[in-house]
């Protein structure tokens, strides 16, 4: 699965912001790379207080990105190219500019009280203010887990359930294949809010885990099943055992897939990774509980930046593509992009996440294949010319080709796609495992230790990446030990 952040993918209109046509005209890149599906961060109408995660109309494309016709054309071309399309669905909150906020106050979470004292000590996600805003006109508090411009919906109201199911059907009727569901684990919170945090700790409250959410997810799943559509939920609980419960049960299924972010937050350290993988092997097994892996997205610094070298970024990609589960790529990681350095005067995100959202360079020329005209909405990432897709396509040793070969190796191997996972004995700093399916067996070694430098591996290791038993191993230069070969 390949995540596109539409603002940053490619601009075809000259306003400095990427758009749907920018993605449509680069679908060949995704096909060449070898991904199966694309997830688009929000494209619905939005005042962009949180860059689309504040939706003011669930059934419109924001004019910044194009039109419904553009979306239809994109979906049709993607399908013709063999790619599935998932949209980002934002069910926990709307924009304060959504007409519901004025017309249907019963759709939101309100608490009576006095204007000087928020109902509890919950803190909003971006900042250190209360997760409550006082509405002068109504003389009540409303809840906002994120910005004050993002009031939380009240899913205990059946009218909200019905309206939100309608927003799914709108896009499913147009032929999209499914949804990434934004902070979907939060939707079941009720009115008895203080009971969620008895001690009323002063901290952001995204770690909400209440039984009613599971009932709601079963209802959402029934809508998806009518269409044969899929889901991946952003369950932002840093606890894999809890994440596993959001898949539901065979009798009462919930999400098809869920993000599991402990791996996203793991440092480049073999012991920590071993523990994260063990948790997944313990909790995400059995029918309907297929894991996911993600190293980068639009909310965190890119893993190339976090891990500190391209060699580690490549080794991380091997983990991503060979562990048991569905890998999620964030557009640009296949180019080995680092986060942009964003000077304070160009910072735009209230959550401080601009760096990883830098525009994608398509060509080495100035403007990097964007339409030109207005300056891109964020600065380019470092080495944009050399890192551009065009430059790297011309160099078979590039990280871009490395990703392509890695995805081809995965696609060509039943063991890597869906086989069992078993650890192999190894040095503590080497993650060594095998994946097996029938007679297909693949061994993966990923060296995460500083020993790599001491024994001269940095910069000079010959890495074998063989896609099958017949083609000879292909030598790639990276400075972490990664061996991916048939037994
Ligand atoms: C999710 C999104 C993030 C957004 C937040 C509020 O965490 O990934 O970008 O700001 O939800 O919608």
């Amino acid at each position: 699965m390949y995540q596109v952040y539409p603002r940053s993918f490619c601009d075809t209109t000259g306003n400095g912001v990427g758009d749907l046509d920018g993605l449509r005209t680069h679908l060949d890149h995704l096909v060449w790379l070898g991904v199966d599906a694309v997830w688009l961060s929000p494209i619905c109408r939005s005042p962009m207080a949180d860059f689309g995660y504040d939706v003011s109309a669930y059934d419109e494309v924001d004019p910044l990105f194009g039109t419904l016709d553009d979306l239809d054309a994109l979906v049709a071309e993607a399908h013709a190219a063999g790619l599935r399309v998932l949209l980002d669905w934002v069910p926990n909150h709307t924009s304060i500019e959504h007409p519901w906020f004025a017309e249907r106050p019963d759709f939101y979470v309100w608490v009576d009280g006095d204007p000087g004292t928020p109902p509890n000590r919950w803190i909003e996600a971006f900042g250190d203010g209360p997760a409550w805003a006082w509405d002068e006109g109504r003389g009540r508090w409303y809840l906002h887990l994120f910005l004050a411009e993002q009031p939380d919906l009240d899913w205990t109201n059946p009218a909200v359930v019905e309206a939100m199911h309608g927003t799914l059907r709108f896009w499913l009727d147009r032929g999209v294949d499914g949804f990434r569901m934004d902070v979907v684990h939060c939707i079941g919170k009720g009115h008895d809010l203080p009971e969620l945090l008895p001690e009323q700790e002063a901290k952001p409250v995204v770690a909400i885990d209440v039984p009613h959410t599971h009932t709601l997810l079963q209802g959402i799943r029934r809508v998806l099943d009518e269409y044969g559509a899929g889901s991946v939920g952003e369950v932002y609980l840093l606890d894999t055992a809890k994440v596993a419960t959001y898949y539901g049960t065979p009798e009462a299924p919930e999400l098809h897939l869920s993000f599991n972010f402990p791996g996203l937050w793991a440092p480049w350290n073999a012991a920590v990774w071993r523990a994260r993988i063990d948790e997944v092997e313990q909790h995400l097994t059995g029918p309907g509980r297929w894991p996911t892996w993600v190293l980068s997205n639009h909310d965190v610094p890119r893993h190339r930046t976090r891990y500190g070298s391209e060699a580690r970024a490549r080794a991380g990609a091997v983990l991503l593509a060979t562990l048991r589960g569905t890998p999620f790529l964030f557009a640009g990681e296949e180019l080995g992009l680092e986060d942009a350095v964003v000077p304070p005067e160009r910072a735009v995100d209230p959550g401080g996440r601009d760096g990883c959202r830098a525009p994608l360079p398509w060509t080495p020329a100035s403007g990097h294949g964007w339409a030109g005209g207005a300056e891109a909405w964020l600065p380019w990432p470092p080495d944009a010319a050399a890192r551009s897709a065009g430059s790297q396509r011309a160099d078979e040793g590039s990280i871009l080709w490395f990703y392509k070969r890695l995805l081809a190796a995965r696609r060509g191997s039943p063991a890597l796609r869906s086989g069992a996972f078993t650890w192999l004995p190894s040095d503590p700093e080497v993650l060594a495992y095998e994946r097996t399916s029938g007679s297909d067996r693949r061994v993966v070694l990923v060296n995460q230790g500083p020993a790599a430098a001491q024994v001269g591996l940095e910069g000079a290791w010959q890495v074998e990446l063989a896609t099958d038993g017949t083609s000879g191993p292909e030598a790639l230069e990276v400075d972490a030990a990664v061996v991916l070969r048939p037994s």
Side-chain angles (χ1 to χ4, degrees), residues 5 39 50 53-54 88 90 93 126 146 150 180 182-183 234 236 297-299 349 353 357:
Y5 196 69
W39 141 40
D50 190 13
Y53 286 96
D54 48 324
D88 214 314
V90 187
H93 44 264
F126 309 128
F146 294 87
Q150 294 167 295
R180 178 266 189 188
D182 191 64
V183 288
E234 190 200 23
Y236 218 123
N297 67 26
H298 65 295
D299 288 331
D349 177 45
R353 300 161 294 183
R357 300 175 178 180

Side-chain angles (χ1 to χ4, degrees), residues 113-194:
D114 103 62
T117 320
N120 66 16
R121 293 173 56 211
W122 288 11
I123 298 296
E124 61 186 341
F126 309 128
D128 50 14
W132 299 95
W134 180 256
D135 184 307
E136 257 335 308
R138 291 173 173 135
R140 305 178 82 189
W141 292 96
Y142 67 85
L143 178 67
H144 60 91
L145 295 184
F146 294 87
L147 299 172
E149 294 90 338
Q150 294 167 295
D152 277 53
L153 285 165
D154 178 4
W155 278 76
T156 65
N157 179 350
V160 168
V161 175
E162 196 186 323
M164 290 304 287
H165 284 188
T167 66
L168 291 171
R169 290 180 194 284
F170 177 83
W171 294 105
L172 292 167
D173 285 335
R174 294 195 96 84
V176 311
D177 301 288
F179 301 91
R180 178 266 189 188
M181 301 186 166
D182 191 64
V183 288
V184 74
H185 64 296
C186 292
I187 62 175
K189 60 194 169 313
H191 297 273
D192 49 349
L193 297 163

